[in-house]
Amino acid sequence: DIQMTQSPSSVSASVGDRVTITCRASQGISSWLAWYQQKPGKAPKLLIYAASSLQSGVPSRFSGSGSGTDFTLTISSLQPEDFATYYCQQANSFPRTFGGGTKVEIK
Amino acid sequence: QVQLVQSGAEVKKPGASVKVSCKASGYTFTSYGISWVRQAPGQGLEWMGWISAYNGNTNYAQKLQGRVTMTTDTSTSTAYMELRSLRSDDTAVYYCARRGGILTGYAFDYWGQGTLVTVSS
């Protein structure tokens, strides 16, 4: 199975800050990487697919990059509605696997 | 618009079975697969398996093999996930999610609202 390791597990930031979350795969997954946002009590929401493609309707302050084993999700200017937990997920092979999550908290 | 609507919360005793439904609308059901993902209280996301709504092919997480069965009913555009021999650590919110096609990198592009399954004696 491909293991997905996210860091940090939590980050405290202020509105307007730039936030970067990293995700590392235990083996190469090309660009088959997705990022999700989850708010408490809600289902996850797709933000980024194929490592860097923005899902329709997602604000442009979200961006993704990387390929192979190392990936990054960046929020260019944190907004109040962005405080949530973020997960990466590999879509390269079965079983699909998720990173452990990164909680973005208010500083 | 695409919607996945799941069945309601369940409370089960250890050793029992549960069957959760996921009714799809707003797209051609047989054109996409459905994955099931669960989330234990305060924990991360765990992929359980996938079923093709086109031909019924499945792929299950190894740790659930033998206890989980995923099926679809194309006449009602509904996917089902049955989990047997329930244990307390199966207590979780269970989500269905549509696996998008290659144009969305096979990501999970739409999700159901979640179904809480509580296993308690």
Side-chain angles (χ1 to χ4, degrees):
Chain A
D1 297 4
I2 299 174
Q3 294 192 21
M4 307 300 293
T5 303
Q6 274 181 248
S7 61
S9 57
S10 66
V11 57
S12 293
S14 301
V15 172
D17 284 354
R18 182 182 183 89
V19 172
T20 299
I21 299 168
T22 64
C23 180
R24 175 165 288 175
S26 61
Q27 63 190 75
I29 58 170
S30 186
S31 295
W32 299 109
L33 191 282
W35 290 98
Y36 302 88
Q37 176 193 66
Q38 187 180 33
K39 296 181 178 179
K42 299 294 186 182
K45 172 188 173 184
L46 177 64
L47 298 176
I48 302 283
Y49 62 90
S52 60
S53 296
L54 196 66
Q55 172 71 340
S56 175
V58 174
S60 59
R61 63 181 179 272
F62 291 94
S63 64
S65 64
S67 67
T69 60
D70 293 310
F71 302 86
T72 299
L73 173 70
T74 299
I75 310 171
S76 60
S77 178
L78 200 65
Q79 297 303 299
E81 60 268 32
D82 300 338
F83 292 96
T85 301
Y86 295 83
Y87 294 92
C88 63
Q89 176 245 326
Q90 63 84 12
N92 180 78
S93 60
F94 288 122
R96 299 293 199 248
T97 44
F98 291 89
T102 297
K103 188 173 184 179
V104 178
E105 299 174 300
I106 301 172
K107 194 171 187 178
Chain B
Q1 73 282 21
V2 174
Q3 278 193 301
L4 300 175
V5 179
Q6 298 183 221
S7 49
E10 304 262 14
V11 179
K12 296 291 183 181
K13 293 193 183 302
S17 300
V18 69
K19 191 170 186 177
V20 180
S21 67
C22 170
K23 184 171 177 59
S25 61
Y27 71 97
T28 301
F29 182 65
T30 51
S31 294
Y32 298 85
I34 294 286
S35 270
W36 290 87
V37 176
R38 69 180 180 178
Q39 186 170 37
Q43 302 302 308
L45 301 171
E46 179 186 13
W47 181 83
M48 300 178 65
W50 165 86
I51 182 166
S52 166
Y54 173 70
N55 58 17
N57 285 351
T58 56
N59 191 299
Y60 300 139
Q62 188 167 10
K63 69 176 287 189
L64 297 174
Q65 286 273 5
R67 288 206 301 138
V68 68
T69 302
M70 296 176 187
T71 57
T72 60
D73 181 344
T74 57
S75 69
T76 60
S77 299
T78 303
Y80 298 91
M81 186 284 299
E82 181 181 32
L83 190 60
R84 300 177 292 279
S85 302
L86 289 167
R87 310 187 288 246
S88 58
D89 62 356
D90 291 318
T91 293
V93 176
Y94 289 74
Y95 295 102
C96 61
R98 190 181 82 164
R99 189 189 83 160
I102 191 168
L103 293 179
T104 52
Y106 297 114
F108 304 137
D109 56 1
Y110 291 92
W111 294 67
Q113 83 276 20
T115 296
L116 175 62
V117 175
T118 303
V119 182
S120 174
S121 54

